[in-house]
Amino acid sequence: MAIKNYSAAAETLIQLSGGKENFITVENCATRVRIQYKDLSKVDKKAIGEMDGVLSVIEKDGLQVVVGPGVCNKLCAAINEILSVDRAASTAAPDAPDVPEEKKKGNFLKIISDIFVPVLPAMIAGGIVQGLNNVLKSVAEARAAAAGIAATETLTAAQVWLQNYHLLNLSNLMGLIYACVFNFLAIYVGYTAAKRLSVDPVLGALIGCITLSGDLTKFGTSAGKGGLIGVIISILVLKYIYKFIQKIIPNQVAVIFVPTLSVLITAALMITILMPVCGVLSDAIVSGLMWILDKTGVFGGFILAACFPTLISTGLHHGLTAIHMEMLNTLGYAPLISVQVMSNAGMVGAACGIFLLSKNEKVRQACRGAIPTSFLCVGEPVIYGVCLPSGFGFITGSIGAGVGGALIRLFNVSFNAMGMAGMSALPLVADGKYLYYLISYFGGAIAACVLTYIVGKARHYE
């Protein structure tokens, strides 16, 4: 059953977590409520997993309670309201003094994930808006050509058509939103990276801002050199420089000299060493991945797409966001995103197969709730609510995702922005290959559904 009363659900979850005093932080991503506890042994994880609306409970870097998109935001807000914790302050988990040091460190992919998760809503909004704008522009270009509309001194033929239908300002607004999200992404990432690494987040934003300055040409480099990888590594350098200077500067003048010297030294190192080195590194990563995608073709698409459900189920797929962004910045499109999205097709198809197989009303109810949401936007509801609990459905769904990935590479479908999965990703498809995306998606979903049904019948799944 879905959560009907968020306040009551939050009260229950707090009680099952050992009370208010056991909480350190509560925050959410797209589908999960992420909780840091002082003592995890006091938490009744099994009982939380059996709560209405809870799809799954993952014990990883605290506790991740998977409840699905939209629901996680409301439940997180309800918990924080009861805990009397300001929501904005709750996102400062790395700076909280009660967080154990080992939790602050984490592994590399987990740190990257924590940096990008807070930025995802803006990236999704920008990507979807730009995708819709691309569709609008494509229609305008076709209609303008069909009507024989000529360009003016200031407007293209497509813009003239848009203006005639009072859509030009809407198109310009969409373009502005996208530009503001992605042109200044280094600032947002600098802020969240600094927060995650326990550095003053505004200083982190400043470092990100420096990497975008046009005045960098005076130092023999260029804006954006090194990309987001360079920003994150520069923040890590800032962290250690800040700590060192903090130790040697007297307290009486620390407020003046610690931030000043930290930024000055970090900026100098970043411009002369880090940005050029990270530029070579990011170019090598993008070139290497493109080589793999080009050389392995449909086989590589199958393997990569089949692996993505496992990455998504563990949350490690967020660690690839920096790579996706480097592809977009360097190439203008990102073929790896379209392969990743096929994991959604496989999981949705597997869930449909389980729905057709099962006679258990609880399982069928979970399918009814999870399949539409996952088909439209994110795959976690079917992963945690249907496929993983079945066991075999996750495997057959991964194979179906592989089929979708193979088709994506066969048709060479790429995305020109980041956003959601499923049908919400349709506007993000580059070069107008919407039909090929749909063929790939439904090809993967149907393969997963059929395979799941066959395996389920053989296993006498009910």
Side-chain angles (χ1 to χ4, degrees), residues 144 149-152 155-165 168:
I149 296 175
T152 67
L155 299 175
T156 65
Q159 289 175 325
V160 172
W161 185 90
L162 288 170
Q163 189 176 55
N164 290 341
Y165 285 89
L168 182 58

Side-chain angles (χ1 to χ4, degrees), residues 123-155:
M123 294 172 64
I124 290 170
I128 294 293
V129 165
Q130 179 65 3
L132 293 173
N133 195 27
N134 288 340
V135 173
L136 182 60
K137 287 180 177 179
S138 297
V139 171
E141 289 172 0
R143 296 292 176 84
I149 296 175
T152 67
E153 291 184 2
T154 56
L155 299 175

Side-chain angles (χ1 to χ4, degrees), residues 45-358:
K45 296 182 285 291
K46 182 179 179 182
I48 292 175
E50 293 173 350
M51 289 176 58
D52 288 344
V54 174
L55 302 174
S56 178
V57 173
I58 303 170
E59 187 177 335
K60 180 178 175 61
D61 301 302
L63 209 67
Q64 299 179 17
V65 183
V66 185
V67 290
V71 178
C72 62
N73 305 69
K74 296 175 183 177
L75 182 58
C76 179
I79 295 171
N80 276 326
E81 184 175 355
I82 294 172
L83 295 176
S84 299
V85 176
D86 181 87
R87 180 163 174 73
S90 76
T91 60
D95 296 328
D98 291 331
V99 178
E101 189 62 29
E102 60 270 20
K103 293 294 184 183
K104 287 185 180 182
K105 294 178 181 178
N107 58 59
F108 176 73
L109 283 179
K110 176 62 174 63
I111 291 173
I112 296 295
S113 172
D114 289 345
I115 289 171
F116 281 102
V117 163
V119 187
L120 285 179
M123 294 172 64
I124 290 170
I128 294 293
V129 165
Q130 179 65 3
L132 293 173
N133 195 27
N134 288 340
V135 173
L136 182 60
K137 287 180 177 179
S138 297
V139 171
E141 289 172 0
R143 296 292 176 84
I149 296 175
T152 67
E153 291 184 2
T154 56
L155 299 175
T156 65
Q159 289 175 325
V160 172
W161 185 90
L162 288 170
Q163 189 176 55
N164 290 341
Y165 285 89
H166 308 290
L167 294 172
L168 182 58
N169 284 339
L170 175 61
S171 177
N172 290 338
L173 177 61
M174 288 178 168
L176 174 65
I177 292 171
Y178 177 80
C180 288
V181 171
F182 288 91
N183 290 353
F184 300 101
L185 194 59
I187 300 174
Y188 312 144
V189 170
Y191 185 94
T192 57
K195 181 178 285 190
R196 177 60 179 83
L197 296 172
S198 302
V199 183
D200 186 325
V202 177
L203 293 183
L206 174 58
I207 292 298
C209 189
I210 292 172
T211 67
L212 301 177
S213 175
D215 288 337
L216 287 170
T217 54
K218 299 176 181 178
F219 301 93
T221 187
S222 58
K225 188 75 172 177
L228 300 179
I229 295 174
V231 174
I232 294 170
I233 293 177
S234 297
I235 300 301
L236 183 61
V237 170
L238 172 65
K239 172 187 175 74
Y240 289 105
I241 290 175
Y242 192 96
K243 281 187 174 182
F244 175 76
I245 294 176
Q246 204 170 33
K247 290 179 180 178
I248 63 174
I249 295 293
N251 291 334
Q252 293 84 347
V253 292
V255 69
I256 299 173
F257 289 104
V258 172
T260 304
L261 293 175
S262 298
V263 169
L264 188 61
I265 296 171
T266 302
L269 292 173
M270 181 176 67
I271 292 171
T272 57
I273 301 174
L274 298 178
M275 287 181 69
V277 170
C278 289
V280 173
L281 177 63
S282 61
D283 290 345
I285 291 172
V286 172
S287 298
L289 284 170
M290 287 304 301
W291 183 88
I292 292 172
L293 290 170
D294 290 338
K295 296 299 181 182
T296 58
V298 295
F299 177 75
F302 180 91
I303 297 298
L304 288 170
C307 291
F308 270 115
T310 300
L311 289 177
I312 291 171
S313 65
T314 56
L316 294 177
H317 63 299
H318 294 306
L320 298 174
T321 304
I323 294 175
H324 296 322
M325 292 309 306
E326 285 306 314
M327 284 188 163
L328 289 171
N329 290 334
T330 305
L331 305 173
Y333 59 94
L336 191 60
I337 302 178
S338 55
V339 175
Q340 176 178 323
V341 166
M342 288 302 103
S343 64
N344 179 282
M347 292 296 112
V348 167
C352 290
I354 290 171
F355 179 78
L356 295 174
L357 277 168
S358 182

Side-chain angles (χ1 to χ4, degrees), residues 350-358 363-365 367-368 371 386:
C352 290
I354 290 171
F355 179 78
L356 295 174
L357 277 168
S358 182
V363 172
R364 291 175 66 84
Q365 184 65 32
C367 291
R368 291 190 192 99
I371 290 173
V386 182

